[in-house]
Amino acid sequence: MTIRIGITGGIGSGKSVVSRLLEVMGIPVYISDVETKQLMMTDTCIRSELTSLLGKEAYAGGALNKPLLASYLFGSPGHAREINGIIHPRVKEDFRQWLRRRATCSMAGIESAILIEAGFAGEVDVVVMVYAPEEIRVQRAMKRDASSRELIEKRIRSQMSDEEKRGQADFVIVNDGETPLIPQVLALITFLSQNNTYLCPPKK
Ligand SMILES: CC(C)(COP(=O)(O)OP(=O)(O)OC[C@H]1O[C@@H](n2cnc3c(N)ncnc32)[C@H](O)[C@@H]1O)[C@@H](O)C(=O)NCCC(=O)NCCS
Ligand SMILES: Nc1ncnc2c1ncn2[C@@H]1O[C@H](COP(=O)(O)OP(=O)(O)OP(=O)(O)O)[C@@H](O)[C@H]1O
């Protein structure tokens, strides 16, 4: 049975870095941001519902209109609920299919900043939170995306707080730029391997 690892953490916390480390160790990871963007292009139901909500401009020029979607989504909690309600059920189904295709893997991961908010905690065996102090996250995201502080902070406010995430996480990986990352990831994988029987309920 595959151990399903949920990797979450706020914007700029270092989820992608942790996911890459897992992949290097041979553990496949479903990168929600990437897969979701793909689904928003290929899934006809998502396309038609987004078009009904945002108008034809949602797919201006044949591509997803990311600025329009982002300004609507991060504009208010109600808007976020509408968009998430269109997209997340389909992502959940896609993740389940992806997982079935990896049934021979002993472990597989899913990375999402909003893993818990989007209702994916029930899809995984363990939730791993990647943590970094907010100011470090803002600085990293501004540098990576050449984005403004205001925009990053708006996105942060649309996500669950670190305190809440921590309360729901089974493990916390600290990525504050000082605590070494690789030993923490190795310790996690070693622990999960050794506790495989604890994580997978015994077959009757
Ligand atoms: C709004 C979009 C177009 C912005 O695209 P862009 O390339 O500029 O940013 P990117 O996708 O890399 O997202 C950056 C970060 O924003 C945050 N974020 C994205 N979607 C959401 C959301 N629905 N709620 C809260 N935070 C979100 C995450 O921290 C994410 O890592 C894009 O994020 C999107 O389509 N979001 C809706 C789909 C979704 O919920 N994706 C999250 C994975 S399930
Ligand atoms: N320990 C670190 N030291 C220096 N830079 C780091 C560290 N961890 C991550 N970064 C850098 O910070 C930026 C954000 O990291 P990453 O993309 O992994 O975050 P994320 O949690 O996936 O963010 P998002 O939710 O926005 O996708 C990247 O440019 C990454 O290279």
Side-chain angles (χ1 to χ4, degrees):
M1 202 166 165
T2 308
I3 301 174
R4 301 162 301 171
I5 308 168
I7 303 137
T8 193
I11 188 165
S13 57
K15 299 176 296 298
S16 305
V17 173
V18 169
S19 298
R20 249 173 262 138
L21 287 173
L22 293 178
E23 284 175 330
V24 167
M25 293 165 74
I27 299 168
V29 182
Y30 182 96
I31 310 292
S32 300
D33 282 343
V34 173
E35 303 293 343
T36 304
K37 286 210 184 77
Q38 177 79 9
L39 279 173
M40 284 193 279
M41 287 308 292
T42 56
D43 187 287
T44 47
C45 293
I46 294 180
R47 281 185 78 114
S48 85
E49 287 186 48
L50 285 181
T51 305
S52 302
L53 187 67
L54 303 172
K56 287 205 177 88
E57 286 305 299
Y59 290 94
L64 180 69
N65 187 340
K66 290 202 287 182
L68 174 69
L69 191 63
S71 90
Y72 188 83
L73 170 66
F74 298 112
S76 84
H79 287 176
R81 271 195 297 277
E82 279 178 304
I83 300 281
N84 292 342
I86 293 172
I87 294 168
H88 294 166
R90 186 66 194 90
V91 178
K92 198 177 274 186
E93 189 45 45
D94 189 60
F95 172 62
R96 287 179 183 167
Q97 286 172 13
W98 178 93
L99 209 50
R100 280 198 284 275
R101 294 196 296 274
R102 284 157 186 81
T104 55
C105 296
S106 59
M107 293 185 205
I110 172 168
E111 179 209 311
S112 171
I114 51 169
L115 185 96
I116 298 166
E117 299 94 306
F120 279 73
E123 302 291 314
V124 296
D125 299 299
V126 284
V127 173
V128 177
M129 177 192 181
V130 183
Y131 169 80
E134 186 170 311
E135 183 53 29
I136 293 182
R137 297 201 278 124
V138 171
Q139 293 296 338
R140 284 179 184 159
M142 280 167 57
K143 192 170 165 202
R144 184 195 56 191
D145 302 336
S147 195
S148 70
R149 172 178 287 274
E150 190 196 359
L151 207 136
I152 305 294
E153 288 181 345
K154 202 169 187 185
R155 290 188 180 195
I156 287 177
R157 282 194 295 275
S158 80
Q159 298 176 353
M160 186 184 268
S161 71
D162 278 351
E163 290 66 37
E164 272 183 276
K165 274 198 190 103
R166 199 185 271 270
Q168 298 203 36
D170 300 295
F171 298 91
V172 177
I173 289 181
V174 177
N175 182 33
D176 55 6
E178 287 180 17
T179 318
L181 204 49
I182 292 175
Q184 296 181 74
V185 174
L186 278 175
L188 170 74
I189 298 312
T190 307
F191 176 85
L192 294 180
S193 310
Q194 287 167 352
N195 290 274
N196 201 353
T197 47
Y198 153 72
L199 289 160
C200 307
K203 290 194 179 86
K204 292 198 177 128

